[in-house]
Amino acid sequence: MSELIPSLSTLRALPQVQQPTYEDPVARQHVIDRLRALPPLVFAGECDELRTKIAQVANGRAFILQGGDCAETFDGVRANSIKAKLRVLLAMSVVLTYAAQVPVVKIGRIAGQYAKPRSKDTETRDGITYPAYRGDAVNGFEFTEDARRCDPERLVRMYNASASTLNLVRAFVKGGFADLRQLHAWNASFVRDTHVEKRYEQMAGEIERALGFMEACGVGGETMRTVDFYASHEALLLDYEYALTRIDSRSQAPYDTSAHMVWIGERTRQPGGAQVELLRTVRNPLGVKLGPTTTGADALEIADRLDPTRVPGRITFITRMGASNVREKLPPIIEEVEASGRKVAWVCDPMHGNTFETSKGFKTREYAAVVEELNGFFDVHEQLGTWPGGVHIELTGDDVTECLGGAFQLSETDLASRYETTCDPRLNRNQSLELAFMIAERLNRYRGKYATESPAPDWNE
Ligand code: PEP
Ligand code: MN
């Protein structure tokens, strides 16, 4: 093993939380050895390309759209569900690009989002207690003793599920599905009678005319037919992320080849902890979730640990303050980080600070609270003169009923009809598209006022 990557025993000796407890250490080691022998899922050059794009975000020249399931499931590895997710992300991205006229960096919470941190180690139902579900990468969702046992074999299934998802995503985005002339088709099965839908159709019509004009003028070509799309997930499971960390043969530098970008969660970002120690060594662009108890000093300490040489595009701070906290808690963090001269991409996760449980026991979020946190995020950045660099959303391409409100005014009683998430509630496709219009409006209003001296990126799509 290269000296550039800490050994597994070094990592295991460090403070760590949220890791599964396996009964059989031999089976666990066997899985790690098998994973180490399998091919990387992404290429180091792609991670570098994404890092360069995120550097443009940090410079106020582009915007990140990061979204997907809270928890992917092995059962969810199906063409239709992957296609639907991609379709909603592409539609949102077009809304943002067209309405706000800003290049959008598209990143899925996809092809690897199989492990979950939990606030409680166990779950009790009707007096019976079993270990909590920690994502399909660790144990089963079913509430039985057998399903809830942590099984290292699931790490191999995670790898295979990630590989087949990524393969389809790559085929879709490069093989014609993402062609801008498919704008209407992406929307074909959306419910057609909402104001969101009408707005989208109108915009798609305008883009179609513009494309026709460009083609007649002889401009267009490949950039209109394909998009760059990147995969990301929370780097939670040390065994898995370690096994996928490889030395790139060109640069001789380590990369976590499980995804283009990985992030560290709010619960696992301890500066001396194992997650930070492993990710410190890899060259991927990294996200760090920051909740309402974070101070500016905390944020700087993590950034200095992960990125001592201030590599452009290396750090994205994903803030998840909650709608009622964002205006008070976010400004001091931004001010302290900016005062240090460090440039990061500031991304708003308006989901994780706004979760609550209904009286019937559904974990949910109010669409209005999501909008409120986003408005707070944009207001704070406008007041400070900094760039609101992106959004991080839990969503699905299906018509689920997991979050309240939005175009169809989903109520608490509606939640039972199609509540499918195994972890946090996701926006459905109408709610997601509606949110994209809201974000585009805010971004467009600010874009003209925001002063950046950095040159415009030479990539666009
Ligand atoms: C998540 O992104 O699903 C998550 C658990 O977020 P956080 O670490 O911000 O709580
Ligand atoms: Mn979540």
Side-chain angles (χ1 to χ4, degrees), residues 57-377:
V57 173
N59 282 331
R61 289 293 192 177
F63 192 78
I64 292 173
L65 171 64
Q66 187 172 24
D69 291 305
C70 175
E72 291 181 280
T73 60
F74 296 155
D75 271 354
V77 183
R78 288 167 200 275
N80 276 348
S81 127
I82 297 166
K83 187 165 40 173
K85 231 176 302 181
L86 203 56
R87 201 158 52 180
V88 76
L89 283 166
L90 291 175
M92 288 174 81
S93 150
V94 168
V95 168
L96 289 167
T97 314
Y98 185 72
Q101 309 262 297
V102 169
V104 175
V105 184
K106 296 167 267 297
I107 311 174
R109 280 179 69 113
I110 202 166
Q113 182 54 24
Y114 295 100
K116 297 310 301 171
R118 300 318 302 250
S119 40
K120 294 196 199 95
D121 283 339
T122 57
E123 184 182 346
T124 302
R125 287 189 205 170
D126 304 324
I128 303 172
T129 300
Y130 291 133
Y133 170 65
R134 293 188 170 274
D136 276 12
V138 176
N139 56 2
F141 184 61
E142 212 190 330
F143 194 68
T144 63
E145 191 179 352
D146 202 35
R148 291 294 170 95
R149 190 172 296 122
C150 302
D151 177 4
E153 274 300 319
R154 283 177 169 271
L155 297 178
V156 178
R157 291 178 70 190
M158 170 181 184
Y159 173 90
N160 289 328
S162 302
S164 56
T165 302
L166 195 56
N167 183 54
L168 189 62
V169 168
R170 287 184 191 278
F172 277 146
V173 300
K174 296 294 176 195
F177 181 76
D179 193 320
L180 266 181
R181 282 160 304 186
Q182 297 285 317
L183 269 185
H184 287 287
W186 297 341
N187 213 29
S189 47
F190 272 66
V191 180
R192 295 214 165 248
D193 56 359
T194 65
H195 62 276
V196 185
E197 166 65 24
K198 289 199 183 98
R199 227 171 141 185
Y200 181 85
E201 284 301 312
Q202 189 190 343
M203 186 199 71
E206 285 172 31
I207 295 176
E208 212 161 55
R209 274 192 300 285
L211 283 176
F213 171 72
M214 285 167 66
E215 244 167 54
C217 297
V219 248
E222 204 48 28
T223 47
M224 301 295 162
R225 285 190 244 291
T226 66
V227 297
D228 293 331
F229 190 92
Y230 301 93
S232 73
H233 63 260
E234 178 175 348
L236 183 67
L237 300 177
L238 287 167
D239 290 350
Y240 184 80
E241 303 302 335
Y242 166 81
L244 268 292
T245 295
R246 311 287 169 78
I247 302 293
D248 169 39
S249 59
R250 305 168 314 153
S251 61
Q252 293 302 312
Y255 284 78
D256 183 346
T257 64
S258 70
H260 300 108
M261 176 198 203
V262 285
W263 76 84
I264 307 187
E266 167 71 355
R267 298 168 186 79
T268 49
R269 59 173 166 76
Q270 300 74 16
Q275 261 89 2
V276 171
E277 197 56 27
L278 175 62
L279 294 190
R280 201 165 71 84
T281 63
V282 301
R283 284 238 186 130
N284 308 55
L286 301 175
V288 182
K289 292 280 201 98
L290 301 179
T293 58
T294 318
T295 63
D298 294 337
L300 278 177
E301 186 183 2
I302 301 166
D304 288 343
R305 223 8 125 119
L306 291 171
D307 177 35
T309 57
R310 302 191 175 185
V311 175
R314 165 79 162 165
I315 301 288
T316 297
F317 278 137
I318 307 167
T319 61
R320 27 89 87 223
M321 300 291 150
S324 56
N325 285 326
V326 61
R327 288 164 200 279
E328 182 201 342
K329 305 284 183 187
L330 185 56
I333 303 175
I334 298 178
E335 280 173 321
E336 205 161 328
V337 172
E338 294 281 324
S340 77
R342 179 179 276 288
K343 276 214 170 308
V344 302
W346 294 103
V347 166
C348 176
D349 164 358
M351 315 298 293
H352 288 90
N354 299 306
T355 318
F356 67 97
E357 204 171 300
T358 67
S359 54
K360 295 247 166 24
F362 287 107
K363 205 175 176 189
T364 190
R365 292 160 174 152
E366 285 272 5
Y367 178 81
V370 170
V371 169
E372 178 53 25
E373 176 151 3
L374 279 166
N375 271 323
F377 170 79

